[in-house]
Structures are given as structure tokens and as C-alpha cells.
Amino acid sequence: MNTKINSLQAIMRSRNLPLLAITAGPDLLYLTGLGFHVSERPAILLIPANGQPSLIHPELEAEKVKNRSIVPLSSFPYGETKETWGHVVEEAMKTISDDANRIGVISTNIRFLEMDLIHKALPNLHFFAADELFQALRMQKSEQEISSIKKAIQIAEKAFMETLKYIEIGRTEIEIAAQLVLNLYRFGSDAELPFSPIVASGPNSADPHAIPVERIIQEGDLLVIDWGASYDHYISDITRTVSMGKPSDKFTLIAKTVKEANTRARETAKAGLPCNEVDRTTRMVINEAGFGEYFTHRTGHGIGMEAHEAPYISADYSKPLEVGNTFTIEPGIYLPGEGGVRIEDNIVITDTGAETLTSLPRDLFIVES
Ligand code: CO
Ligand code: CO
């Protein structure tokens, strides 16, 4: 059987957890290779600590389940009549050993819809959050997962360099974002991008999570561009900053500071070091330069099938980094009303330290008019 399910079941046995329920989304995709949209039709994967998992799914997905699952599953299809769903869930729950008294769920994914169906099938089951267990599993990236992330980075970097040629005064943020999306597809991204690219110009670039608007690019603007590609369901998440013409002294200084913070973080990260130490190191560089109050978010987050997964490189996350962790380092300085700079790279922890997977230059990209 597939090693991911095997590893998960081994963790379950070691922690004495009899049963997990995973619903439509990245965790289900990760374990079974089956992508389900989150919709009014539930998909529930029941994983016992021993033996074959069961999948409750809409009948119309039966072909997909049969042909594309990467693990053996007992299939429990249900039809379009809602009244019959409960019965199908009951049948599936009968495959679970009688002494299971609790069921682990991913608290941020499961909905009342699925919890209610499970509860009605087995009213004595207690629900508990298994988020941490799952994060621990997904944080350990295999060679194959890392190679997909590398591919997603290559696609994203090519798409950015191509889009750079298109950036000029007079275009809008949305036009540039659209061009970037086009180039991501052109260079081989999966259709489902990890997120919509951010193109934030001028004062908008001081908002870390700005969405592109109709603002026209002007001389002297900074452009924060944050984008990623997806390859075989694994993603990249990169940010670079562009300057329209020669940057002011102030912008040059913040760009230099952010680059230094980014570099120090990447040099510091290694197996065994608590994540919040990496965050502290990054923050120290920016504090020392006098811009501490303008670095308003965490240093980074894990990447894999999702753009925001564990580990979190933040002050309140003290878990040590482990070999196989993949994550971003993305310090930024945002001067309200003026502009911002962010430099985001993608990292993997190896036996010898941290390998930076992204390769684009980290200085401001200067576009001459
Ligand atoms: Co990003
Ligand atoms: Co990010």
C-alpha cells in the first residue's frame, strides 16, 4: 500500500488513534491522489489504524475513484437523493472496528455537513482535531515532492522573466497580473494556480496582501509581485520587487535591508533550529536598520500542496526545522503611503543546512522608461 497512508497509520497506532476522517481538499489529494472540489456533495475518507480505508463519494465520481486512486480503497458511492446519504455513511462506518470511540478530523477543513453525517451514523464517536498529526506528516517532503516543487519554481521564474519585458509605465496592475498568469500557463503550470498573483504598485505596494487593481504604473513606483506556479499539485510562492526607473535613496535602503534580512534567514535556517529563531534573526536585521515597525507579518510559511502549510516561520511557532521541510523566507518593509519591498524565496532543509531553490536575483529589478 502507498507509503503515505502507511506512515499515517503507523503514527495513528503509535498514538492509539483508531480512526480518522478526511474530507475533500488537499489532505485527501495528498493521501489518495484524488482531487475533489469542496461542494455540497461530501467526500469522506475514513482511515482506520489498520487495514484498508473507505471512501464515501458521489456516484458521479466513481470512475475517477476507480481509475485514479493511488491506494486501494473500499468505495461507498451515493446517488443524487440526499435522503440516502446517511445510509451510505452508516454502511461505510460498519467497516470500522466496534471499539473505535473517537474520530480525528482536520478542524480547518471538515464542515457541519460531514460531521453531522458521521455523528448520525455513530452517535457515540467523539470528534477531536488531528491537524497537528497531519501537519507532521505533510511537512516531511519526499524526493518526489521536492522535485515537483522545484519544477513549480522553474515555471514561475521563467514566467516572471517573460512578464518583466511587458512591464512599463502606463500599464495597469491588472494587465501585468493577467500577463503573468498567461505566462505561468505558457511555461507549464497546472491550470489551478496556488493563488492569484499580487501585483501592487506605488502606495499599494505597502499593503502586503494587496490585490491587483486598475492603478496605472508610474515613474518612481515600486512594484511588489508575488506569484507562484503549480506542478503536479505542488506549488511555488515567490516575491520580487520592481522599481520603475532609478529608485529613491529611501527605497534603495529598504531594498538593501530586506535583501540582507532574507539572506541572513536563509543562512541561519538548518535542521534542529526552532522556526521562531529564524523569524527572530530576520526581524533583528530589519529592527537594527530602524524599520522594525514596518515589517508587519511573519517571516515565512511551509509550502507543498498548499501555499500556507506548516512549518510556520513565525514568533509563536517553536517547532525545530527538520530535513525535508519546505518553506518560504519572505521578509518585507512596507512604508505606508509610499511603497514596499518584499523578497520571497523557497527553501528546503537538507542534511547540510538549507538549500535555496529559487534562483532569481534579489536586488530590485529596475525597469527604465
Ligand atoms: Co508569496
Ligand atoms: Co508566501
Side-chain angles (χ1 to χ4, degrees), residues 307-323:
H308 288 186
E309 54 179 69
Y312 302 101
I313 314 300
S314 62
D316 60 357
Y317 193 88
S318 57
K319 269 193 180 273
L321 289 166
E322 289 173 18
V323 173

Side-chain angles (χ1 to χ4, degrees), residues 2 5 13 50 67 73 95 181 202 247 259 261 272 280 291 299-300 304:
N2 167 278
I5 291 259
R13 288 192 294 272
N50 290 292
N67 298 325
L73 296 171
T95 63
V181 168
K259 185 183 169 189
R280 201 178 60 84
F291 295 107
T299 294

Side-chain angles (χ1 to χ4, degrees), residues 142-158 229-231 234-236 238 303-304 326 346-348 350 355-359:
S142 66
E143 278 305 315
Q144 199 195 338
E145 291 178 288
I146 293 167
S147 105
S148 294
I149 292 172
K150 283 182 180 167
K151 193 79 210 260
I153 290 169
Q154 283 168 12
I155 293 166
E157 292 192 332
K158 279 188 198 157
S230 187
Y231 183 80
Y234 284 84
I235 65 116
S236 52
I238 312 174
I303 53 168
T326 49
N346 299 168
I347 315 294
V348 59
T350 65
E355 185 192 343
T356 301
L357 303 175
T358 28
S359 65

Side-chain angles (χ1 to χ4, degrees), residues 171-184:
R171 297 209 194 278
T172 67
E173 294 176 2
I174 291 208
E175 284 174 322
I176 295 166
Q179 196 66 24
L180 183 50
V181 168
L182 203 64
N183 285 326
L184 284 165

Side-chain angles (χ1 to χ4, degrees), residues 195 226 237-239 300-301 303 307-308 328 330 342 344 346:
F195 53 91
D226 187 342
D237 179 5
I238 312 174
T239 307
H301 54 82
I303 53 168
H308 288 186
T328 69
E330 49 179 305
R342 177 163 69 254
E344 176 175 27
N346 299 168

